[in-house]
Amino acid sequence: MPYIQLAALLAALATVGPFSIDTYLPALHAIGAELNATPLEVQQTLTAYMLPMGAMVLWHGAFSDAWGRKPVIVVSMLLFALASVVCVFADSIEALLVGRALQGISAGAGMVVGRAVVRDLMEGPKAQRLMSHVSMAFAIGPAVAPILGGWIHAAFGWRAVFVFLALLGLALAALSAWRLQESHPPAARQPLHPGPLARRYRSVFSSPGFLLLSVAVSLNFNAFFIYVLSAPVFLMTHLGLGETEFGWMFVPGVIGMMSGSALSARLAGRLSPARTIRLGYSLMLAAAGFNLAVSFLLPPGLPQSVLPIMAYNFGMAIAMPSLTLLALDHFPTHRGLASSCQSFVQMLISSVTAGLIAPALWGSVSSMAVGMAILLLLGLGCFMAWWWLFHRHTSSTGPA
């Protein structure tokens, strides 16, 4: 499969998760009104999606290690389409919560297994370059999803948003079955025997280096994810925009992410992963400081309230591919399972952000800016702890 087509397909598969979150954000108020649900109850449809997703991503990689990458992706996308149909016909908030949970069970396969495919096919700078290009294309999703969702909702109502997601799942299942080549041969597969599987999970979750890098990636992302989860309040309440104007935040944010991913790809093989990560953190710190200054010193508005988000995403996208690959390289013989564990850590933290942190912070732009800064500092602390551990046990000529 040509490089460009592979990168595009892997990016599209990874986009299913963000599309499931962002596409229906402009319709949250309408959902609450039709289903007679409070804003907090409607907000919990995000948690209902992410908690099962976090639990299930723990298994997608192990399944792909045992059965192959392609079958797991195809079946998961078909299940996602079916779950989206359940959401279409939900007649109560409880029914919608069930549909969202079913979406969460299946949506993470593309993200988890796709990362394993990258490491199956490529190593070193080539893997970083492909991961960066996937991230660059994947970054389009959060910009397009809420804009598209707003248009669909305005024209056809909120249920049509889930019709779109069902069609997306079917299309990706068909494309994967037709074009995606199996990258994990039978000779390299790991059986799902309980004993060896439990030992592999234990080895991953007992690795300090792997956990520190995985938590760092998640905290970096959640510093931005606060704004995604709070988008209806941030944009419609604080900035006074309409339900079809979500692009004012998501388009600049994605421009920053795509630019950072493009630079990360160019830096592959020129800077070491650790130096690339340090560059990314320097830019993220500057952006978070800029965000604090703007939020406390200026009134909410355009463009000052969204420019720091674009700058932050630029730095985050530079660091993320290298952080992700360094974490997976701790377990070269079972990368699928390691990718699952990495995604589980990330989804667990994101679920806490969706259910607790974002609702607690979205009352003002200043509190959201403080939340971004705190999560970033925690992520930087995790990376620095990994750096100290790594250089304590290996020579400076190692893979960092």
Side-chain angles (χ1 to χ4, degrees), residues 29-101:
H29 293 297
I31 291 172
E34 182 173 334
L35 300 183
N36 195 27
T38 67
L40 184 58
E41 287 175 330
V42 177
Q43 177 72 17
Q44 294 313 309
T45 60
L46 287 167
T47 306
Y49 166 80
M50 285 191 290
L51 281 176
M53 185 178 180
M56 195 60 197
V57 295
L58 199 57
W59 295 97
H60 291 312
F63 291 157
S64 74
D65 281 345
W67 302 329
R69 315 299 189 204
K70 184 173 180 176
V72 173
I73 289 175
V74 172
V75 172
S76 295
M77 291 302 98
L78 290 174
L79 291 175
F80 175 80
L82 180 61
S84 300
V85 173
V86 173
C87 295
V88 171
F89 293 101
D91 58 359
S92 66
I93 191 64
E94 291 79 13
L96 184 60
L97 288 169
V98 171
R100 292 289 288 165

Side-chain angles (χ1 to χ4, degrees), residues 219-220 222-224 226-227 280-297 304-316 365-380:
L219 290 171
N220 297 343
N222 275 262
F224 160 66
I226 290 173
Y227 287 88
Y281 269 118
S282 298
L283 294 171
M284 283 188 281
L285 286 168
F290 179 33
N291 195 30
L292 285 169
V294 167
S295 300
F296 280 96
L297 299 178
Q304 68 268 20
S305 294
V306 299
L307 288 178
I309 298 173
M310 180 173 69
Y312 181 88
N313 282 1
F314 179 69
M316 179 178 68
V365 292
S366 57
S367 61
M368 294 170 66
V370 170
M372 169 186 272
I374 291 174
L375 289 173
L376 170 61
L377 290 174
L378 291 173
L380 176 59

Side-chain angles (χ1 to χ4, degrees), residues 111-282:
M111 173 182 62
V112 172
V113 182
R115 282 200 300 241
V117 170
V118 172
R119 291 303 286 116
D120 288 341
L121 298 175
M122 298 180 183
E123 296 183 357
K126 290 183 178 180
Q128 181 182 337
R129 193 170 295 114
L130 178 56
M131 190 74 78
S132 297
H133 286 149
V134 169
S135 299
M136 185 166 55
F138 161 73
I140 298 174
V144 173
I147 299 171
L148 183 60
W151 290 344
I152 294 173
H153 166 58
F156 305 106
W158 66 267
R159 295 180 189 276
V161 174
F162 291 103
V163 173
F164 164 76
L165 292 176
L167 295 175
L168 175 64
L170 286 174
L172 289 176
L175 281 173
S176 298
W178 177 40
R179 296 295 296 166
L180 185 64
Q181 297 177 350
E182 180 57 61
S183 64
H184 192 54
R189 292 178 187 174
Q190 303 282 339
L192 286 174
H193 296 312
L197 185 62
R199 287 192 290 271
R200 290 198 294 273
Y201 275 115
R202 186 167 59 248
S203 69
V204 172
F205 280 119
S206 62
S207 169
F210 174 85
L211 290 176
L212 286 168
L213 290 171
S214 298
V215 171
V217 171
S218 183
L219 290 171
N220 297 343
F221 174 75
N222 275 262
F224 160 66
F225 198 43
I226 290 173
Y227 287 88
V228 174
L229 295 167
S230 306
V233 177
F234 179 64
L235 294 172
M236 300 173 71
T237 301
H238 297 314
L239 302 190
L241 301 177
E243 63 186 16
T244 61
E245 297 181 290
F246 277 53
W248 282 107
M249 182 185 83
F250 285 94
V251 170
V254 167
I255 289 173
M257 193 173 292
M258 292 182 65
S259 301
S261 297
L263 180 57
S264 179
R266 291 183 63 84
L267 293 176
R270 302 181 183 184
L271 290 183
S272 70
R275 289 182 178 178
T276 302
I277 292 167
R278 289 199 293 271
L279 172 62
Y281 269 118
S282 298

